[in-house]
Amino acid sequence: MPRWGMVIDLDKCSACQSCTAACRMENNTPVAGPDQAAAGRTILWNEVLPFIEGEYPNVNVTLIPRPCMHCDEPACIKVCPVQATYKNEEGIVLIDYDRCIGCRFCTVACPYTVRYFNWFAPQWPEELKDHLNPDPEVAPRPVGVVEKCTFCAHRLRKAREKAEAEGRAFQATDYIPACVQTCPAHARYFGDLDDPNSLVSELASSPRAYRLMEELGTQPKVYYLKQG
Amino acid sequence: MHPENKHEKIILAPIHRVTTGDRILWSILAGLLLTGIALWVYQFIEGLGVTGLNRPVYWATYLTNFVFFIGLAHSGTFISAILRVAGQSWRAPLTRAAEAITLFSLPFGVAAILADMGRPERIFNVLFFGRYQSPLLWDFTAVGLYLLSSMVFFYLSLLPDIALCRDRLTDVPQWQQKMYRVLALGWQGTPEQFHRLERVLDGMAIFMTMLVVTVHTVVSWVFGMTVQPGWHTALIGPFFLLGAILSGTAAVVIVLSILRKVYNLEKALPVKLFNSLRKLLITFTLGWIYMIIAEYLTAGYGNMTEEMHVVQDKFTGDYALLFWGMVVLVFILPLLIFIFKGKNNIGWMVFASVLINIGMWIERYIVLVPTQVSPRLFHEMAHAKYFPSIVEIMITVALFAGMALLYTVFTRFFPIIPLWETAEELPTGELSHQPATTQG
């Protein structure tokens, strides 16, 4: 069974936000609009966060793309009172939108603040409505439930179906999330962390590799390669 | 047979009639409650976007109310169960008024949770799919059990007085007499019945004592079990418990003084009762400042980056006014008032108690919001802010109005001072195992 993970090379990342845009189109995250965005109600499964240290003229800026960390020891899953959020056998943390009671315990418990709440029923401007991803697995989420990055788990299902239709064995390289596919700088890598020969497991053991807040014991499956 | 109580007349006096003043007050309270319900329906239709909540401040006013109401609920159990176990007989006249606070604030704590949920219609998922790994389920269990057992405890200790109302109040409307008849469950007031009642209440008091400690600790663990800065401390449980005792006891002072004034209960509720509560409040408010110092000294001395963001936000940042205001309201002013002005002066004591409860509401708020404003990945949202919307404010008002409504209605139909527990003597006689046949 693969253990899916991601590596993001911060030296290559140009912070162009293509991943953020690709994620939105792939996963049908609603448009908040300027007022709601100002109120902190945007839903962005992937965000590029600026970490700014120091003051002018000695400023150190690190731009970190932040999907869900898909932790092996997720703080969010522990606290869910109804098991609406769970980790599947391949290590992907998912949410059952039909079961979520909207208590927002997981959003509060996640140290990476990757979980988003549907404050209103999802909305899109007319022009965008026609371009929603028709995949039922990413159908817009209803009001009052929590959602977040799924590593494009629907693409995994599709990749398996495709391999089966073509009469060949499914390979880890058949499956790739939208953000990884889109990245113009090839800064993102995706694959099976348990396969010692995969590119991601090789990169994840590089001396440049680190994870966000490793000290919390959450065991994230998103690795970063230090810049500089 | 009924216990002899020299204050029976004055205690039963408020029950004889519902005044115009009552009707006006009840209408206002019911109006506020209905407004809150209407707004809750509106929020249910629109989504929680009608509140001031956002990312990362996911929990705020509603959860503050939840913690606060559960804290108020501590009063009754503290006075009637813990002090019963401790053998403090002076508490007798206070018990019912205090327990009624417990009983009538718990449902509104639960209502605050419902108001906070994104999908309240799925509440039963907690029964179908509930899992004990989640502190929220500890909460549901503890609060549910607390509500249930305080209802039983309250009803049991009310039983002899309902029977007394049934037999004494023959001038009240038919339906009211019928209500007493049904609710009294055929209580006859035999020595054996009183003996059994005392035994049951003693037993339940021990159980309630354990439960109340559990409930108030578990409420805090919803926050404490996460790794968020400012919440993840072992002190949060005892601190919430102490805060609950403090605000609950202060609430008893406020409620008792109003009852005393409005229903002319000066003789049944002598000033010395208030003096006893004053001593308790002085102890608790000192305990509270001890907790504050222990908590913030540990966090501040440790100087860990994430923790310090929250501490600094409270000490000198956006929440400094609320934080220091809270210290003044809960500790400095009440302590000065209680020590220098409070003795034998109910007015001052009530004033200090009101300050304590305002301060304690702020305390709950201060625990919740600043931590979320500075989450661990704080760089990302250096500008997070929260301000309650009108919907949240009105629903909060409705919760308080609802509690006051239940309370005021209750006091017009049932004696708010336990007649049998304050009686000079209970019916005595040989305990027999034969069913009694006489009725007093």
Side-chain angles (χ1 to χ4, degrees):
Chain A
M1 195 62 72
R3 197 168 69 89
W4 303 108
M6 190 183 284
V7 178
I8 302 173
D9 189 337
L10 298 180
D11 256 352
K12 288 187 179 174
C13 173
S14 60
C16 67
Q17 305 263 20
S18 299
C19 47
T20 309
C23 175
R24 300 205 70 157
M25 301 314 288
E26 179 72 25
N27 292 298
N28 295 335
T29 51
V31 174
D35 295 344
Q36 290 300 308
R41 263 93 174 264
T42 32
I43 297 183
L44 294 165
W45 289 9
N46 182 87
E47 262 183 287
V48 180
L49 307 175
F51 285 71
I52 301 163
E53 283 171 69
E55 276 176 30
Y56 180 82
N58 298 313
V59 185
N60 188 8
V61 178
T62 316
L63 295 151
I64 295 189
R66 194 240 51 212
C68 171
M69 300 291 134
H70 291 277
C71 308
D72 272 342
E73 297 289 336
C76 53
I77 288 181
K78 268 199 284 194
V79 300
C80 178
V82 295
Q83 209 162 7
T85 184
Y86 58 97
K87 194 175 71 170
N88 72 11
E89 56 224 357
E90 294 173 67
I92 299 178
V93 177
L94 296 170
I95 298 169
D96 182 344
Y97 308 117
D98 293 332
R99 188 184 285 188
C100 173
I101 60 170
C103 68
R104 306 187 299 295
F105 202 166
C106 57
T107 58
V108 168
C110 171
Y112 306 99
T113 18
V114 309
R115 304 175 74 98
Y116 296 80
F117 183 73
N118 284 280
W119 302 103
F120 292 109
Q123 283 177 334
W124 286 268
E126 279 306 318
E127 304 77 44
L128 283 174
K129 250 184 201 159
D130 303 334
H131 301 282
L132 290 180
N133 186 345
D135 193 317
E137 240 180 281
V138 287
R141 277 65 57 184
V143 65
V145 303
V146 170
E147 61 177 76
K148 66 159 194 73
C149 159
T150 62
F151 267 175
C152 289
H154 56 289
R155 286 182 162 222
L156 172 59
R157 174 183 49 84
K158 274 192 220 165
R160 284 223 166 89
E161 283 167 5
K162 193 173 171 217
E164 202 185 324
E166 290 171 3
R168 59 182 174 83
F170 168 78
Q171 287 179 315
T173 45
D174 290 343
Y175 161 41
I176 178 170
C179 55
V180 180
Q181 188 183 32
T182 298
C183 182
H186 296 283
R188 290 190 186 228
Y189 305 86
F190 189 80
D192 179 6
L193 289 170
D194 274 356
D195 174 3
N197 298 317
S198 73
L199 186 54
V200 279
S201 62
E202 199 178 304
L203 290 170
S205 56
S206 124
R208 282 174 64 211
Y210 76 98
R211 292 177 292 179
L212 286 182
M213 296 183 230
E214 261 170 302
E215 70 277 13
L216 295 180
T218 47
Q219 305 287 347
K221 288 197 287 290
V222 173
Y223 289 77
Y224 293 93
L225 300 180
K226 259 194 214 88
Q227 69 179 0
Chain B
M1 266 187 290
H2 287 296
E4 296 293 325
N5 191 321
K6 64 173 187 272
H7 296 309
E8 186 178 301
K9 224 182 156 111
I10 56 168
I11 293 174
L12 287 181
I15 305 179
H16 286 282
R17 64 205 168 87
V18 174
T19 63
T20 319
D22 286 332
R23 290 206 179 87
I24 295 170
L25 178 68
W26 293 350
S27 312
I28 294 171
L29 292 174
L32 288 171
L33 183 62
L34 288 174
T35 312
I37 293 172
L39 283 171
W40 182 64
V41 172
Y42 165 70
Q43 175 187 290
F44 178 72
I45 295 166
E46 285 291 311
L48 276 170
V50 300
T51 65
L53 296 167
N54 57 59
R55 173 173 174 274
V57 187
Y58 284 108
W59 286 347
T61 306
Y62 294 145
L63 259 280
T64 303
N65 285 325
F66 166 66
V67 178
F68 184 77
F69 274 102
I70 301 292
L72 277 190
H74 199 120
S75 53
T77 321
F78 176 73
I79 303 270
S80 60
I82 298 184
L83 294 187
R84 175 184 269 269
V85 173
Q88 301 290 313
S89 53
W90 59 266
R91 83 204 146 83
L94 316 178
T95 48
R96 183 154 309 139
E99 277 170 45
I101 300 178
T102 302
L103 198 63
F104 299 137
S105 55
L106 277 179
F108 295 98
V110 175
I113 283 281
L114 284 177
D116 190 65
M117 282 173 61
R119 302 296 295 233
E121 82 278 18
R122 293 183 184 172
I123 182 73
F124 292 110
N125 279 7
V126 176
L127 292 181
F128 302 143
F129 309 111
R131 50 203 287 279
Y132 272 99
Q133 210 177 340
S134 169
L136 210 57
L137 213 69
W138 310 347
D139 243 16
F140 275 106
T141 312
V143 172
L145 206 56
Y146 192 30
L147 187 59
L148 195 71
S149 39
S150 44
M151 263 157 72
V152 174
F153 194 72
F154 187 74
Y155 183 51
L156 284 180
S157 61
L158 191 60
L159 210 47
D161 287 355
I162 301 178
L164 190 137
C165 288
R166 172 195 65 194
D167 301 334
R168 296 272 204 279
L169 301 178
T170 43
D171 56 338
V172 296
Q174 276 293 318
W175 68 268
Q176 200 173 335
Q177 290 184 32
K178 195 169 176 200
M179 175 180 77
Y180 293 135
R181 218 166 23 246
V182 173
L183 288 178
L185 300 178
W187 176 272
Q188 291 164 328
T190 61
E192 178 158 347
Q193 282 180 325
F194 275 108
H195 178 68
R196 283 190 183 182
L197 182 64
E198 286 279 8
R199 279 189 54 188
V200 169
L201 290 180
D202 277 345
M204 269 200 86
I206 295 171
F207 173 70
M208 296 283 287
T209 303
M210 293 190 287
L211 194 58
V212 79
V213 172
T214 310
V215 167
H216 293 283
T217 310
V218 163
V219 166
S220 77
W221 281 348
V222 169
F223 311 106
M225 292 298 136
T226 70
V227 291
Q228 302 304 349
W231 288 357
H232 192 59
T233 151
L235 192 64
I236 199 166
F239 198 174
F240 268 49
L241 184 62
L242 189 109
I245 302 180
L246 175 59
S247 72
T249 311
V252 172
V253 172
I254 300 170
V255 169
L256 277 181
S257 68
I258 297 172
L259 292 172
R260 187 175 190 266
K261 191 100 187 154
V262 177
Y263 293 154
N264 307 314
L265 298 171
E266 285 86 355
K267 285 211 182 70
L269 296 171
V271 181
K272 69 174 199 299
L273 277 177
F274 287 84
N275 285 338
S276 303
L277 290 171
R278 164 180 165 267
K279 281 183 217 155
L280 287 176
L281 283 169
I282 291 176
T283 317
F284 297 150
T285 187
L286 286 168
W288 184 86
I289 200 72
Y290 163 74
M291 291 283 189
I292 283 277
I293 293 168
E295 177 167 317
Y296 288 99
L297 187 62
T298 311
Y301 200 95
N303 198 27
M304 287 159 80
T305 319
E306 300 88 359
E307 296 280 345
M308 283 316 282
H309 263 264
V310 179
V311 172
Q312 276 165 2
D313 228 14
K314 293 183 191 176
F315 277 28
T316 53
D318 291 352
Y319 293 89
L321 190 66
L322 279 180
F323 181 85
W324 296 112
M326 163 191 86
V327 172
V328 171
L329 289 174
V330 180
F331 176 68
I332 298 175
L333 285 180
L335 191 69
L336 292 176
I337 291 172
F338 281 132
I339 290 176
F340 296 109
K341 294 279 182 193
K343 197 167 189 189
N344 296 321
N345 189 325
I346 293 176
W348 277 109
M349 277 191 259
V350 171
F351 178 59
S353 299
V354 170
L355 295 185
I356 286 177
N357 264 316
I358 296 172
M360 283 309 297
W361 196 94
I362 297 174
E363 200 236 83
R364 293 356 188 154
Y365 185 85
I366 274 278
V367 169
L368 259 75
V369 179
T371 285
Q372 293 177 79
V373 166
S374 309
R376 276 184 185 269
L377 227 57
F378 53 83
H379 306 78
E380 168 199 2
M381 13 235 177
H383 305 294
K385 57 187 184 301
Y386 166 79
F387 198 80
S389 76
I390 188 77
V391 174
E392 283 167 290
I393 294 168
M394 286 312 292
I395 288 182
T396 302
V397 170
L399 294 172
F400 282 93
M403 184 197 165
L405 179 64
L406 288 188
Y407 206 103
T408 47
V409 170
F410 177 82
T411 56
R412 275 295 185 203
F413 293 100
F414 295 93
I416 197 64
I417 297 171
L419 283 158
W420 71 277
E421 282 189 276
T422 56
E424 287 78 45
E425 57 181 325
L426 294 176
T428 50
E430 287 297 305
L431 289 181
S432 85
H433 292 282
Q434 302 295 321
T437 48
T438 51
Q439 188 176 328

